[in-house]
C-alpha cells in the first residue's frame, strides 16, 4: 500500500488585458483611472464593481459625488455589503493531487461557479492503491493493520483481474472497457487527481464551509491549503479570513464577512 498526503498546486490565475481595459476606460470616460490592487484578480473585480455604478471618478454618474479610493478600501466595502456577484469574474485553477474520492464526492456538491476535471479510472488502470490514512486509523495500530490488509488485498485483486481478463496486449478500446469493470472494486479512499477551477465568491464559501470543525478532516486539510494560497494571492479579497487551530492539527478558516 502506498501512503500519500494530499497536495494542492495553483495552476492558473486571472490576467488583465491592459489594452482592452484601457480602451474600456477611455470609452467610459475615465482614461486616467488607476488602482493599487496587488493582483490582476483584485483589479478585475474592482473594475467590475465600479462599472456597476460608473464610480471610477466623481461626475461620471451624476448621482456619485464621491468615490472610495484604494483597492483595499473598495474591496472591503464590496465584502461588507455582500456585493458578491462581482467576485464571480475572477477564477483560479488548482490541481488537488492525491485526494481521495471521498473528498471529490463531497466537493462536487459545490458546483456553482466551478469547473471540474477528474482522473478517470475508466482509462487509468490501478496497479497499486495509493491512500491517505485518516488520523483515527493512522494512530491506532490495530485499526491500521486491518486497513492496510484490506488495501493490499484490493491491490492483489486488481492484479488478478488483469491477469484473468488478459488485459495486456489488447487494443486500447478493449482495455478501457475492462479497466472500467475492474475499478468497481476500488475503495472510495483511493487517491486521485482533481483539476478544480472556482471563482472568488465560490472559493470564499467553500473555504469557510469545508474548513469548519464539522467538515471531514481530509477536505478541511485540503481547503486549509487552498486558504493559505488565496490569502497570499488576493489579500484584499481573502484577508478577512483568520485561521483558528483545531485539535487535529488543521485549522478552521473563519471570515469576517460570511456568505458574500
Amino acid at each position: 500500500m502506498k501512503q500519500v498526503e494530499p497536495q494542492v498546486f495553483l495552476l492558473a490565475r486571472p490576467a488583465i488585458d491592459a489594452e482592452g481595459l484601457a480602451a474600456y476606460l477611455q470609452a467610459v470616460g475615465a482614461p486616467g483611472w488607476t488602482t493599487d490592487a496587488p493582483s490582476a484578480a483584485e483589479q478585475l473585480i474592482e473594475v467590475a464593481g465600479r462599472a456597476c455604478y460608473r464610480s471610477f471618478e466623481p461626475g461620471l454618474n451624476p448621482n456619485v459625488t464621491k468615490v472610495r479610493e484604494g483597492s483595499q478600501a473598495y474591496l472591503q466595502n464590496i465584502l461588507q455589503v455582500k456585493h458578491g456577484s462581482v467576485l464571480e469574474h475572477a477564477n483560479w485553477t488548482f490541481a488537488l493531487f492525491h485526494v481521495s474520492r471521498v473528498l471529490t464526492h463531497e466537493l462536487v456538491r459545490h458546483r456553482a461557479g466551478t469547473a471540474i476535471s477528474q482522473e478517470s479510472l475508466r482509462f487509468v488502470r490501478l496497479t497499486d492503491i495509493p491512500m491517505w490514512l485518516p488520523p483515527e486509523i493512522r494512530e491506532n495500530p490495530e485499526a491500521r493493520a486491518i486497513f492496510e490488509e484490506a488495501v493490499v488485498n484490493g491491490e492483489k485483486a486488481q492484479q488478478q483481474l488483469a491477469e484473468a481478463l488478459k488485459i495486456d496486449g489488447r487494443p486500447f478500446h478493449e482495455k478501457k472497457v475492462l479497466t472500467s469493470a475492474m475499478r468497481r472494486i476500488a475503495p472510495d479512499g483511493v487517491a486521485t487527481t482533481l483539476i478544480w477551477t472556482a471563482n472568488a465568491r465560490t472559493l470564499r464559501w467553500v473555504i469557510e464551509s469545508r474548513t469548519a470543525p464539522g467538515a471531514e478532516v481530509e477536505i478541511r486539510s485540503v481547503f486549509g491549503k487552498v486558504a493559505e494560497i488565496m490569502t497570499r494571492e488576493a489579500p484584499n479579497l481573502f484577508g478577512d479570513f483568520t485561521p483558528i487551530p483545531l485539535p487535529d492539527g488543521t485549522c478552521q478558516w473563519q471570515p469576517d464577512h460570511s456568505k458574500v
Side-chain angles (χ1 to χ4, degrees), residues 105-167:
H105 293 345
E106 292 203 10
L107 189 54
V108 295
R109 297 173 190 170
H110 301 285
R111 56 198 175 276
T114 68
I116 298 170
S117 298
Q118 184 165 348
E119 180 181 86
S120 172
L121 293 187
R122 191 177 188 204
F123 297 95
V124 179
R125 194 202 321 175
L126 292 171
T127 51
D128 58 7
I129 298 179
M131 299 280 283
W132 173 79
L133 270 65
E136 298 81 4
I137 300 293
R138 186 185 311 158
E139 294 161 10
N140 182 317
E142 183 181 1
R144 179 172 182 145
I146 296 168
F147 188 98
E148 290 180 350
E149 182 181 8
V151 176
V152 169
N153 286 336
E155 292 173 337
K156 289 177 182 176
Q158 290 291 329
Q159 294 164 5
Q160 290 167 348
L161 281 171
E163 292 168 6
L165 295 168
K166 298 179 172 57
I167 190 170

Side-chain angles (χ1 to χ4, degrees), residues 92-244:
W92 287 261
T93 298
F94 300 86
L96 308 182
F97 182 62
H98 278 159
V99 296
S100 72
R101 287 180 175 253
V102 173
L103 182 148
T104 63
H105 293 345
E106 292 203 10
L107 189 54
V108 295
R109 297 173 190 170
H110 301 285
R111 56 198 175 276
T114 68
I116 298 170
S117 298
Q118 184 165 348
E119 180 181 86
S120 172
L121 293 187
R122 191 177 188 204
F123 297 95
V124 179
R125 194 202 321 175
L126 292 171
T127 51
D128 58 7
I129 298 179
M131 299 280 283
W132 173 79
L133 270 65
E136 298 81 4
I137 300 293
R138 186 185 311 158
E139 294 161 10
N140 182 317
E142 183 181 1
R144 179 172 182 145
I146 296 168
F147 188 98
E148 290 180 350
E149 182 181 8
V151 176
V152 169
N153 286 336
E155 292 173 337
K156 289 177 182 176
Q158 290 291 329
Q159 294 164 5
Q160 290 167 348
L161 281 171
E163 292 168 6
L165 295 168
K166 298 179 172 57
I167 190 170
D168 289 317
R170 290 177 178 265
F172 186 78
H173 70 276
E174 292 183 11
K175 288 181 178 180
K176 176 183 72 173
V177 173
L178 298 175
T179 300
S180 182
M182 292 162 57
R183 66 177 168 168
R184 293 178 182 275
I185 62 167
D188 262 4
V190 63
T192 188
T193 297
L194 194 76
I195 305 300
W196 189 73
T197 299
N199 66 49
R201 190 181 203 180
T202 296
L203 274 165
R204 286 184 58 90
W205 170 239
V206 178
I207 290 169
E208 178 181 355
S209 62
R210 292 302 182 172
T211 65
E216 210 271 344
V217 64
E218 181 191 9
I219 203 169
R220 186 165 62 247
S221 171
V222 166
F223 277 91
K225 298 177 193 297
V226 172
E228 290 174 1
I229 291 171
M230 292 314 303
T231 54
R232 295 193 301 268
E233 275 287 304
N236 291 347
L237 291 171
F238 292 86
D240 64 316
F241 277 88
T242 301
I244 302 169

Side-chain angles (χ1 to χ4, degrees), residues 10-87:
L10 177 65
L11 302 186
R13 58 171 63 91
I16 292 288
D17 185 310
E19 216 174 281
L21 177 57
Y24 164 67
L25 292 171
Q26 180 70 40
V28 82
W33 180 80
T34 60
T35 178
D36 60 355
S39 71
E42 289 152 311
Q43 183 177 2
L44 176 61
I45 290 171
E46 184 178 351
V47 168
R50 291 188 186 277
C52 293
Y53 301 95
R54 202 176 287 188
S55 60
F56 293 98
E57 59 186 53
L60 289 178
N61 172 358
N63 290 339
V64 174
T65 57
K66 184 172 67 172
V67 298
R68 193 170 272 100
E69 299 288 349
S71 167
Q72 184 175 18
Y74 185 83
L75 294 179
Q76 281 300 303
N77 184 63
I78 290 286
L79 297 177
Q80 186 172 345
V81 301
K82 300 187 185 297
H83 188 178
S85 62
V86 296
L87 272 64

